[in-house]
Amino acid sequence: MSGNAPGKKKPTASRKKAAVAEAPRPSAPKQREKSTGLHIGEAAPGVAKVDPIIVADGVRRTFGGLTAVDVEHVEIPRGAITALIGPNGAGKTTLFNLLTGFDKPDAGSWVFDGSSLSGVPAFKVSRMGQVRTFQLTKALGLLTVVENMKLGAKGQKGEKFWHSLVPALWRAQDDEIEERAMRLLTKFKLDAKADDFAASLSGGQRKLLEMARALMSEPQLVMLDEPMAGVNPALTQSLLDHILDLKDEGMTVLFVEHDMHMVRHIADWVIVMAEGRVVAEGDPVTVMKNPAVVDAYLGAHQDVDLGVVTGRYGDGKAGAGVTAAQIEAEGRAELEDEEK
Amino acid sequence: MTITRSALARRVPRTIGVLLALFTAAFAVILMTVSPASAAPSADGDPYRVSGNVQLDGEPLEGVRLTIDGPGGLQEVVTDANGQWKVGVPEKNETYVVTLDEETLPAGIAVVDPEDDTPNVKEAEVGQGGRVTVNFFIGEGERHVTSFFDQFVQRSVTGISFGLMLALAAVGLTLVYGTTAIANFAHAEMVTFGPIVVGAVAAAATAAMPIEAALAVAIVIAIVLSAGLGLFLDVVIWRPLRRRRVGVVQLMIVSIGLSLTMRYLFQFFIGGGTTQLPFAAMEKIPLFGVVQMSWIDIASIVISIVVIVAFALWLSYSRVGKATRAISDNSPLAAASGIDVDAVVRVVWVLAGAMAGLAGILYAYYRPGLKWDMGTQVLLLMFAAVTLGGLGTAFGALIGSIIVGLLVELSTLWIPADLKFAGALFILIVILLFRPQGILGRRERIG
Amino acid sequence: MDWLNILSNSASSIISPATMAYALAALGLAVHFGYAGLLNMGVAGFMALGAYGYAISILTFGFPWWLAMLVGLVASAGFAFVLGIPTLRLRGDYLAIVTIAAAEVVRLLFLTTAFDPVTGSADGLSGYHGSFRDANPLPDGNYGFGPWVYSSDQWWVRIVGVIALALAVVLVWRLMASPWGRVLKGIREDEDAVRALGKNVFSYKMQALVLGGVIAGAGGIVYALPSAVNSGVYVTSLTFFVYTALLLGGAATVFGPLIGSLIFWVLQTLLSNLLPAMVQAGILPFMSQIQAGTLRFILVGVALMLLVVFRPQGIFGNKKELTFVR
Ligand SMILES: Nc1ncnc2c1ncn2[C@@H]1O[C@H](COP(=O)(O)OP(=O)(O)O)[C@@H](O)[C@H]1O
Ligand SMILES: [Mg+2]
């Protein structure tokens, strides 16, 4: 059916233009300027920020007897990259769910960009400019990659029931959105796949697609739940670059990551959670020396380097010891997982 | 663990092969004995008639409601402008209970009969001719009323008994759902299968032994074959589909197809009518207050309770029972911790089959009568019970079943009896409005 | 065996009102199940409301036929709306159970003697054709050729059925090719992802539920146009048969429901004529004619199982369009 549907067409001239305009970027890692002076006073859990985009107070969520999240006070600095770290089960994903309206807290309130978000449903949170991705990738498998992207755009006229029946009302806007989608896809090196079903992408490519799709809505705050998990090392560098680019474009980024090397590489600020609480905050270098953090991650084995434990590659030389075959096997296993 | 598992894997196919062969043979024999000739003659549109005329001093009374209970279930009818009423019934040589709802008579008017303390209730036998007329003596007088409390007690007892029977079937449904994620619509046919076997075997065995013994033998065989049916379906359909990793929605639709197939197969072999099992029309004995029960009713309650308690103990304490709960909780984790999921699932299917078959037999006495689509009639109530309890939790299914059983029976105190199933289903919808995860269920994870 | 009669009956079912009614119902279900991923098991309820809404409006309220049709459609839409409020927040399998239960509640309400004067309880309703037939522009007489010879009233029913079907097909086709349809398909794939992109998932699902419900309701009306309305028709099996028809053609397509319903009814008519004839001719031994009639429903069940496992995308569908992602 999709072949002759009026809403879809062959790649247009605009798409090709977009592809030419965007020259391949050098993928060599470059150390960019870190934002500093984000906080007021001593860096401690719940420290006030100079210009916070999110301020959360007393947010608590329990599942039966288990307290998954119990955050007294936390502020996310605007225009910076903040990493949310903590061992598995620390409550990071649950906190994401709460902040984005996907879950309801037992208690607590939080403010995004000056307006209270408690009780606001997820789709409205997203419309206000706070967009998230998921730990388990949610590519929309039976939509093409470009359709996935177009779904991300806000304020589409053709998404209203009656308007959608009159293509004249939305065709021009749709073409515009498609052009923007192709530009982003080119940047994320997915343009060649634009007309493939998203189900045919590899796990890492889906992560990229999900992030790109989130960007289609031109958010102020991007929340990425483990964006690097399952992405092969060849792609991680470009993912990191994309995240850094977001900051350059004026967006705020909050992301969950386990790999300390990556956190150190791109984060301006680090918030550490353990057992539902914020146990430490600070810039990446000081946080990693904080005994509370070491304790949260390692328990008794405090003689081991934290980067080694949390990183996926033993010696920190990401990707160096990994063969192409291994990466491919990983990808295949991922695909199988996805199919389940 | 891996060693035992592979050893099991090698041994199991042969055992299953033998079982399957036995099962198929037994099934074939049974289907032979239930020849189409013995089946009731009609499919749709019941052939026999119960009718009557409600008049007061020669004037017809319109809009008087009567309920007719007997083989084929409860029916309601309202008199027409000529005071006449009639209903079709599926069986002749059977007794039907006709109750006139005195609430629908004009004020001050009642059914009068000094000989009878419930003059508005009459028994009528549809004889060889297939027709019977039931008339009531209407006049001015005191209405006979069972007090609300008495009715409440009586309905509660029936409701609990129905709920326990429902639980017997629902527990299997929910365990299958918990361990395999199949919302199994064909569970209805597993319920119908039990009484069909009983009917066939009892009919064949009465020639060789006294009817009590024949019934006992028939019930044992029916439960064994019902268990066999569960195993058969798992081996032939569900396990291969698990291997193919067929999605849950597909599985559900497969079960719908299977349900249709089996249901019409039953109709193919036993016809569209209702047949009675031995002792279906047993006399009721007064127990306490207004509560009356036949020995079959009492046996039904006792059997349900014993089986459910035994099952609960098994689920809580036995190794396989614990494994079952572990799989329901988190299948991949259970598999990773060395539980042989396939073997446990097979046990679950066998148990689900056996309990569904038993529930079906009890249901055939409760209705009363055995019919090709009797399971389908309670399938939604089973789903309602399971959903109320929270899909996939066995104890939830038990509680849900008893709630549904009580709802069905007690609702008739306020709403017409032919809407009692509708009432229960409606309340299911309302409860889900407030607790989408069921009463004991958990919410799903996001992210 | 009277081959001519058997084949002629089967060919006649190609444009029978029942085929069109199934096609409409299956198209409505395609919107629900194929495009929006809503596991609606209450199709029979939507059809019943369309049919009873139409018949009751004429018999009890004396409405003209077109207004009665509108009432039927509004009744289905209302049912969709009321059902949607509690159920659209539920997980897929819960939705299935609640919708099937709701449809059964609707049927039991039409069956009960409590509302006998309006619903006709077990006897159903008939004799509501006057207004519709008066509007028939065709002069009296028989028209057509071969197996397709019908009276002018029969043609009038078929013409209205085809118009309804054509309107519904165009509507669904336009919608699914628009950004609106894109959101809907996204919801089918993963509603949380779509929610995270700022779409009001509940509202879209509700729109889809009402749209599909209205189309299924139209199917119920077309089903009621030629003859009578009886609660015995709107049982859960009807829902399952519509699913079979839909899956035959392909769930997430616009023409799949049409083709599927066509195949379903032609085969049903063929078998219901052929099998008893074969028994009579002694070709199928060990079987009575009644049993031969039951056989075709057994085959529906088998077909449904095989389809959903081996060709979930429908017999003409494209493998890539298969909709069972979860
Ligand atoms: N829906 C849920 N039901 C029950 N427990 C949950 C649920 N979601 C999360 N949890 C529990 O809450 C804790 C925090 O989980 P999560 O937020 O996913 O941790 P993280 O993302 O930091 O690894 C864990 O112990 C987890 O098991
Ligand atoms: Mg997490």
Side-chain angles (χ1 to χ4, degrees), chain A residues 63-105:
Chain A
F63 296 105
L66 177 99
T67 305
V69 166
D70 186 4
V71 172
E72 247 171 59
H73 183 87
V74 77
E75 296 183 9
I76 313 291
R78 188 193 303 274
I81 299 177
T82 305
L84 182 62
I85 66 169
N88 284 323
K92 307 179 294 291
T93 299
T94 308
L95 182 63
F96 261 44
N97 288 344
L98 293 171
L99 291 181
T100 50
F102 276 86
D103 195 2
K104 296 212 163 30

Side-chain angles (χ1 to χ4, degrees), chain A residues 132-183:
Chain A
R132 72 173 291 186
T133 65
F134 294 88
Q135 182 171 352
L136 299 172
T137 329
K138 292 184 185 296
L140 307 170
L142 291 184
L143 266 57
T144 63
V145 169
V146 73
E147 279 176 324
N148 261 276
M149 293 295 288
K150 287 162 88 174
L151 205 50
K154 281 201 286 197
Q156 297 189 43
K157 293 180 192 134
E159 288 184 352
K160 295 204 176 78
F161 186 87
W162 296 112
H163 288 192
S164 72
L165 291 171
V166 189
L169 289 177
W170 49 264
R171 185 50 53 73
Q173 190 195 26
D174 204 55
D175 288 345
E176 216 173 277
I177 290 170
E178 181 156 336
E179 209 172 302
R180 194 148 58 83
M182 287 311 294
R183 268 203 303 274

Side-chain angles (χ1 to χ4, degrees), chain C residues 13 33 58 66 72 86 108 120 143 151 179 188 198 204 213 223-224 232 247 301:
Chain C
S13 68
F33 175 66
I58 293 176
W66 54 269
L108 291 170
Y143 307 89
S151 73
R188 174 189 75 202
Y204 278 97
Y223 210 64
L247 291 173

Side-chain angles (χ1 to χ4, degrees), chain B residues 7 262 278:
Chain B
M262 288 175 69

